[in-house]
Amino acid sequence: MNFDYDLFVIGGGSGGVRAARIAASQHGARVGLAEESRMGGTCVIRGCVPKKLMVFASSAPALAEEARGYGWLSADAGPFSWTDFHNKLTDDLDRLERAYTSGLDKAGVDIHLQRARLSDAHTIELADGSRKTAKHILIAAGGRPQRPDIPGAELGMISDDVFLMKELPRRALLIGGGFIACEFACILNGMGVDTALAYRGNAVLRGFDLETRELMTRQLQQNGIDLRLGLSPARLERADDRIRASFDDGSHGDFDAVIFATGRAPYTGDLGLEETGVRLKPNGAIEVDDWSQTAVPSIFAVGDVTSRVNLTPVAIREGHSFADTVFGGIPRKMDHRLVAHAVYTRPHELGSIGPTEEEARAQGPIDVYATTFRPMRSFFAGSDAHVMMKLIVCAETQKVLACHIFGPEAGEMIQLAAIPITMGATKADFDATIAVHPTMAEEMVTMREPTRRFHEATTDAAAR
Ligand code: NDP
């Protein structure tokens, strides 16, 4: 059968663009790609990239305060113009979108800026009514923020909306205690917004190492964020020109903006999956095997739409592996077991790779090497903020299983720590490494004695 394309990709985000570009430019495939919104997808347009620039923007007052601690008597960040920042941000995102488009153009990929859905295992129906056939189809449609099912939920914003705000709210409430809630709480707080965060648990960032969760929870409070723990939202309603948020304990508060950061869901609705026999998991994500292949042999899926590890570099690697395997004859699988990640809060970030201490204890005997200290830079300027670094080592093999860092630039540090850990380095390899002095990261190679030893596997439910 003659197909219009060797590959048709649904979704122009990180995973879809990488797969399309590699299949076309490196493996000579004829590729079409449909994107219903903007090229670049969540990471570039309404996620990692604009978020990180907002983190930088929001850091200025703390930097000015630190400068005063170093003798710059009149250092002051001064007033912040959201409008100026936002105009520049918009221009930069336009530039990135153009770069994504031109990268695909150069690779010879046909871009269809419209919605696409499947009509059978080899056919795509575009919103303009035209149909395209392809030998292989890749679904890389991503995920969407979800609102909780409470009355008035439509009055709340989602993370997508934050990047489109025309002005900053005076008083904002974030609901949730995950990546987005913690990051946006620090951003808004840094930009001078009176910020509250309501989370239903006792310590934010469920799923992370407990010690780092406790440090992050304390940091949010020390930043002056009004942290309300153990609270679930019950309803939102209008109260004059504000939004009243009521909680399950009967309390309420009025805010200019309420932002839901209550997780994301795979964007699988109305893609025609049912017609083709693609199977979904209970959470709506597309079920795939280790090769990102669905139950229909010609259809593959990568990225958040498969809800494996929902991070940009993972989607990119999945997309690249798919293209190499199917079009390059180079079988490559994505290994999801060791994926480093970071939460970009201020002043300290959280960087993490491998199991939490609680998970590792349950898996087998471990030694934990941990250190806390006040880094010289902020300590000199008068801050009491503590850094925490932790290595989790398998007691039997001495392999370093995990590293958790709570500190300035932890995202940068964990990226480098991830290399030896991915290579299977032992604690002796870390010890053999000469320190770079004076740095924070040198602590990683100078922790000599275990802080704790757990030599009997245990599941400490209370610790989780
Ligand atoms: P997360 O899954 O990280 O967190 C969701 C939070 O919302 C949790 O604290 C959860 O509570 C809470 N929650 C869920 N449902 C409800 C509800 N009905 N009522 C009250 N609270 C609720 O999602 P995010 O939205 O923060 O981020 C989505 C994903 O985006 C992340 O998982 C990550 O994959 C990605 N991301 C990555 C970033 C990075 O790499 N730096 C930055 C931002 C996003 P509980 O813990 O009790 O379940």
Side-chain angles (χ1 to χ4, degrees), residues 2 8 21 91-92 123 163 167-168 174 176 199 206 209 254 262 282 310-311 316 326 331 335 353 391 400 458 463:
N2 278 336
F8 197 95
R21 198 166 52 72
D91 290 347
D92 207 41
T123 311
F163 302 113
E167 56 186 31
L168 282 179
L174 283 139
Y199 174 49
R206 191 162 61 83
D209 186 89
D254 293 348
T262 45
N310 293 342
L311 296 170
I316 290 173
V326 175
D335 184 349
I353 181 168
L391 292 177
V400 179
T458 158

Side-chain angles (χ1 to χ4, degrees), residues 42 47-48 51 145-150 159 175-184 198-201 203-208 213 231-233 260-265 304 309-313 340-344 350:
T42 299
C48 321
K51 180 277 307 287
Q146 55 182 359
R147 292 178 158 83
D149 186 16
I150 56 167
S159 55
I175 296 178
F179 283 83
I180 296 181
C182 293
E183 291 181 343
F184 274 137
Y199 174 49
R200 61 189 179 183
V204 294
L205 293 177
R206 191 162 61 83
F208 282 77
R213 294 175 62 194
L231 283 190
S232 283
F260 291 117
T262 45
R264 296 173 61 88
D304 288 9
V309 177
N310 293 342
L311 296 170
T312 298
H341 48 277
V343 188
Y344 298 103
L350 204 174

Side-chain angles (χ1 to χ4, degrees), residues 5 62 64 90 120 164 192 195 199 209 225 247 264 307 310 357-358 413 425 435:
Y5 296 109
T90 305
D120 65 41
L164 302 172
T195 306
Y199 174 49
D209 186 89
I225 293 161
F247 299 96
R264 296 173 61 88
S307 200
N310 293 342
E357 184 176 331
E358 298 73 45
M413 284 192 269

